[in-house]
Amino acid sequence: MISDQFTLSCPVPLSNNSRIALAHGGGGRLTNRLIDEIFGKLLSNPALDERHDGASLLLPAGTGRIAMSTDSFVVNPLFFPGGDIGTLAVNGTVNDLAMCGARPLWLSCGAILEEGVQTTLVRRIVESISVAAKEAGVQVVTGDTKVVDRGKGDGVYLNTTGVGVIESTHHIGPAEVSEGDAIIVSGDIGRHGIAIMAVREGLEFETTIESDCAPLWKPVQSLLASGIDVHCLRDLTRGGLSSALCEIAEIRKMGIRVVQPNIPVREDVQGACEILGLDPMYVANEGRFVAFVAKSDAEKTLAVLRAYPNCADAAIIGTVGSVDGQGRVIMRSTIGVDRIVDMLSGEQLPRIC
Amino acid sequence: MISDQFTLSCPVPLSNNSRIALAHGGGGRLTNRLIDEIFGKLLSNPALDERHDGASLLLPAGTGRIAMSTDSFVVNPLFFPGGDIGTLAVNGTVNDLAMCGARPLWLSCGAILEEGVQTTLVRRIVESISVAAKEAGVQVVTGDTKVVDRGKGDGVYLNTTGVGVIESTHHIGPAEVSEGDAIIVSGDIGRHGIAIMAVREGLEFETTIESDCAPLWKPVQSLLASGIDVHCLRDLTRGGLSSALCEIAEIRKMGIRVVQPNIPVREDVQGACEILGLDPMYVANEGRFVAFVAKSDAEKTLAVLRAYPNCADAAIIGTVGSVDGQGRVIMRSTIGVDRIVDMLSGEQLPRIC
């Protein structure tokens, strides 16, 4: 229901006899409610409460800071143009660490295999993990395999948890987002979700749309090294660009304004979205992030990012407004009309990562 | 097939068209083969190659060492006497860190929920995670939830990954096991597996057998603090005491001798094992470990451990022999006969953790 996406929904508590729906895993409002009301409430501590892509942790005796982030991967299908569950499992977690300003160093890998899955398929996936880990400069240092009965899994599920070091003393996170910040997206949006949906729905386009799945630490490292005043970074996975913007706006209770024609979307992706009835603003990416930087550093940020082929289409897409207590995201559309961008309330694309 | 357990099986490579069986997740020889031939081979690095319960990692710029360990939990049923998947997910990972001599600090938690599962059930599990984390002195600092379609999961699967600090400069791991080491088990074995099997098979005993699920850092910390020359620690999860002993013997190519009457097994557990056709040596525990210490420290180790109610039955069960290139584990039985203890080659108890 596209119309749902643009309705400001009033958060209704999870009732006691409710059941988990696919939409609770979609990265939108229901996911947030599940996290708020169960995981966030019962496990609360300062690191978890920050609600960032990963936790920033001070080592005992002040010996430095590390970042830690986890993701499970249940993507369907396991293989898709531009990657597979293995590349996704490495880049997804490595990118969450990068969003904390941390240099990714180590990954764990937990595999839940379904009885009957071919070992050659498992091998192909682990080969992808190996290649992606080398590219991202991380080592898989600890692992675990479990097997579940046939019909209690779906081939292969993975979990990766990453640990990285935070070398800068400059804190990066939603709390640092400030009035006037420029909002920069690192490249065109929507490719990962469309690549998955095309396979799942058996759609063929003139050219194959490949996932944008890629590691993001190098461009992030360059941003930090070049002295740019980076306030917050967030990768655009489940729920897409909209969810990232809505989350930040909500946490800070600040308005955000973005300009639709400035948001890069490839023509083939736009066309596929129209066929599938999807809005690219809500489609998941696996190699894209949004940066909130001091206004005066906006052009410099673009220049640094564009030096990376994966960020060649980086663009300034909007600005952060004042604290208004509402935390709305407003988008000026291509025809010059303002509309509210809300967090996805239902499920647009299940099992995208 | 109990007889399989005592046969030294020749490791046959995984063939290219083979499929994953439940036994690949049982913690025995097939699990090891899967890890050796796919995960270990393709992802090889010094930390992973050590094949310990977790990885010991040197932070950049020599600012200290941390340990990292991961486990996925697919236990069936989700709730059992003495715990549930939540307590298991905390203690399982916390204990793996303790086995590296690391003080557990932080956990990640990834949940894979099946569409249709009741939110009250999820809440109960997260409450258990919260209670167990407090007891173990750790914080859940980062998390992730995914939802899979009905029939593609089994209620709730969890992954936890833990990070702890290694405060001692004294390295603990399989590589340190030496000729003459005393082998000490921290308490009676077999309770966790039997607690699960009793629920699964609908068995009732005179008394309810409860899982031994518990955090192990405190007794381990006391061992380290008391200056005992600890060489290696290993918790007795999947595959039980036998697998732990066989793995160490195999890694070090050293013989291990244990004395069956010295290995503590509760009478009710022994009785249940007989009914179920199981050998307690192969049954999983979730709050037990084996310590390899310098012979001269054996009695002191017992004294330190027995101060903890959970380790009141700690016992010296055997010794490490010389390097013989074979790495066999020999057990002198209650009737004075020596037999070879082999790693479980098939699956004794699936989905025990």
Side-chain angles (χ1 to χ4, degrees):
Chain A
M1 298 279 288
I2 297 290
S3 66
D4 273 3
Q5 293 165 11
F6 308 111
T7 315
L8 270 175
S9 63
C10 167
V12 182
L14 289 165
S15 76
N16 272 340
N17 50 14
S18 65
R19 289 176 180 274
I20 297 295
L22 276 174
H24 282 109
R29 195 164 293 282
L30 275 177
T31 305
N32 277 20
R33 203 176 296 163
L34 176 69
I35 294 170
D36 283 345
E37 295 187 23
I38 299 187
F39 291 89
K41 191 185 270 178
L42 295 169
L43 304 174
S44 171
N45 61 65
L48 191 68
D49 298 348
E50 216 197 348
R51 296 292 293 275
H52 195 30
D53 286 339
S56 164
L57 305 162
L58 186 64
L59 289 164
T63 49
R65 287 190 90 84
I66 60 170
M68 184 174 178
S69 184
T70 192
D71 254 321
S72 297
F73 297 87
V74 298
V75 66
N76 169 25
L78 294 171
F79 298 86
F80 48 82
D84 60 38
I85 190 171
T87 42
L88 214 55
V90 172
N91 290 329
T93 294
V94 156
N95 291 348
D96 282 341
L97 293 173
M99 296 305 110
C100 302
R103 181 156 62 91
L105 289 177
W106 302 303
L107 288 188
S108 67
C109 177
I112 298 178
L113 310 176
E114 187 188 7
E115 182 188 16
V117 72
Q118 288 197 317
T119 51
T120 47
L121 184 142
V122 177
R123 195 186 304 268
R124 272 179 68 196
I125 291 170
V126 180
E127 278 165 359
S128 291
I129 293 174
S130 170
V131 170
K134 277 200 190 79
E135 197 191 333
V138 292
Q139 287 186 329
V140 178
V141 292
T142 187
D144 175 58
T145 55
K146 291 287 186 316
V147 181
V148 294
D149 328 56
R150 204 183 291 262
K152 300 287 183 193
D154 199 7
V156 178
Y157 295 147
L158 295 177
N159 174 285
T160 52
T161 304
V163 168
V165 281
I166 300 177
E167 284 151 345
S168 160
T169 52
H170 178 85
H171 183 246
I172 291 171
E176 311 307 321
V177 169
S178 308
E179 188 175 339
D181 277 3
I183 304 171
I184 291 151
V185 70
S186 71
D188 67 295
I189 63 169
R191 264 197 275 153
H192 175 70
I194 294 301
I196 299 280
M197 286 307 284
V199 180
R200 223 189 271 167
E201 305 291 324
L203 296 179
E204 284 190 26
F205 305 107
E206 269 176 49
T207 52
T208 303
I209 297 175
E210 293 200 335
S211 167
D212 57 291
C213 189
L216 293 171
W217 169 241
K218 283 184 187 167
V220 168
Q221 184 179 28
S222 291
L223 289 182
L224 300 177
S226 63
I228 288 167
D229 188 8
V230 177
H231 294 165
C232 184
L233 302 167
R234 193 158 278 224
D235 59 349
L236 310 178
T237 54
R238 281 187 295 179
L241 177 57
S242 307
S243 290
L245 296 177
C246 288
E247 279 169 27
I248 301 290
E250 225 171 83
I251 292 170
R252 297 291 288 143
K253 309 284 179 220
M254 283 172 155
I256 281 180
R257 296 195 73 93
V258 291
V259 181
Q260 189 171 24
N262 293 2
I263 300 170
V265 182
R266 268 177 24 179
E267 244 179 73
D268 52 0
V269 171
Q270 185 66 52
C273 279
E274 281 163 20
I275 292 167
L276 293 162
L278 300 173
D279 180 335
M281 287 289 287
Y282 292 89
V283 176
N285 311 270
E286 289 292 340
R288 295 290 176 260
F289 66 101
V290 69
F292 293 77
V293 304
K295 192 181 173 185
S296 54
D297 282 339
E299 290 298 333
K300 191 173 170 189
T301 301
L302 274 192
V304 169
L305 288 180
R306 286 181 177 164
Y308 292 87
N310 187 38
C311 302
D313 296 326
I316 302 170
I317 61 164
T319 54
V320 177
S322 57
V323 176
D324 62 2
Q326 299 200 43
R328 285 194 180 181
V329 179
I330 309 283
M331 178 162 75
R332 172 142 301 179
S333 75
T334 37
I335 52 165
V337 178
D338 279 356
R339 70 181 207 200
I340 292 169
V341 177
D342 193 18
M343 207 175 279
L344 202 60
S345 57
E347 172 71 58
Q348 179 161 276
L349 297 176
R351 296 183 55 191
I352 212 73
C353 62
Chain B
M1 297 281 286
I2 296 291
S3 65
D4 273 6
Q5 293 166 11
F6 307 112
T7 317
L8 269 176
S9 63
C10 167
V12 183
L14 288 166
S15 76
N16 272 340
N17 50 15
S18 65
R19 289 176 180 274
I20 297 295
L22 276 175
H24 282 108
R29 194 163 294 283
L30 274 178
T31 304
N32 278 21
R33 202 176 297 162
L34 176 70
I35 294 171
D36 283 344
E37 295 187 24
I38 298 187
F39 291 90
K41 191 184 270 177
L42 295 169
L43 303 175
S44 171
N45 60 66
L48 190 68
D49 297 349
E50 213 196 349
R51 295 291 293 274
H52 195 30
D53 287 338
S56 163
L57 305 162
L58 186 64
L59 289 164
T63 50
R65 286 189 91 84
I66 60 171
M68 185 174 176
S69 185
T70 192
D71 253 322
S72 297
F73 298 86
V74 299
V75 65
N76 169 26
L78 294 171
F79 299 86
F80 48 82
D84 60 38
I85 190 172
T87 41
L88 214 54
V90 171
N91 290 329
T93 294
V94 156
N95 291 348
D96 282 341
L97 293 173
M99 297 304 110
C100 302
R103 180 155 63 90
L105 290 177
W106 301 302
L107 288 187
S108 67
C109 177
I112 299 178
L113 310 175
E114 186 189 7
E115 183 187 15
V117 72
Q118 287 197 318
T119 51
T120 47
L121 185 143
V122 177
R123 196 186 304 268
R124 271 178 68 196
I125 291 169
V126 181
E127 278 165 359
S128 291
I129 293 174
S130 170
V131 170
K134 276 198 190 82
E135 197 191 333
V138 292
Q139 289 186 329
V140 178
V141 292
T142 187
D144 175 58
T145 55
K146 291 288 187 316
V147 181
V148 293
D149 328 55
R150 205 181 292 261
K152 299 288 183 192
D154 199 7
V156 178
Y157 295 147
L158 294 178
N159 174 284
T160 52
T161 303
V163 169
V165 280
I166 300 176
E167 283 152 344
S168 158
T169 52
H170 178 85
H171 183 246
I172 292 173
E176 311 307 321
V177 170
S178 307
E179 188 176 340
D181 278 2
I183 304 172
I184 291 150
V185 70
S186 71
D188 67 295
I189 62 169
R191 266 198 274 152
H192 175 71
I194 295 301
I196 299 281
M197 286 307 284
V199 180
R200 224 189 270 166
E201 305 291 325
L203 296 179
E204 284 191 27
F205 306 107
E206 269 175 49
T207 51
T208 303
I209 297 175
E210 292 200 335
S211 167
D212 57 290
C213 188
L216 293 171
W217 169 241
K218 282 184 187 166
V220 168
Q221 185 180 27
S222 291
L223 289 182
L224 300 177
S226 64
I228 288 168
D229 189 9
V230 177
H231 293 163
C232 184
L233 301 168
R234 193 158 279 223
D235 59 349
L236 310 177
T237 54
R238 281 186 295 179
L241 178 57
S242 308
S243 290
L245 297 176
C246 289
E247 279 169 26
I248 301 290
E250 225 172 83
I251 293 170
R252 295 291 289 143
K253 309 285 177 221
M254 283 173 155
I256 281 180
R257 295 195 75 93
V258 290
V259 182
Q260 189 171 24
N262 293 1
I263 300 170
V265 182
R266 269 178 24 180
E267 246 179 69
D268 52 358
V269 171
Q270 186 65 53
C273 279
E274 281 163 19
I275 292 168
L276 293 163
L278 300 172
D279 180 336
M281 288 289 288
Y282 292 90
V283 176
N285 313 270
E286 288 293 339
R288 295 290 176 259
F289 66 101
V290 70
F292 293 76
V293 304
K295 193 183 172 183
S296 55
D297 282 339
E299 290 297 334
K300 190 173 171 189
T301 302
L302 274 193
V304 169
L305 288 180
R306 287 180 177 166
Y308 292 88
N310 188 38
C311 302
D313 296 326
I316 302 170
I317 61 165
T319 52
V320 177
S322 57
V323 176
D324 62 2
Q326 298 199 44
R328 283 195 182 181
V329 178
I330 309 283
M331 178 161 76
R332 173 143 301 180
S333 75
T334 37
I335 53 166
V337 178
D338 280 356
R339 69 179 208 204
I340 293 170
V341 177
D342 194 18
M343 207 175 281
L344 201 61
S345 57
E347 172 71 57
Q348 178 159 280
L349 298 175
R351 296 186 53 194
I352 212 74
C353 62

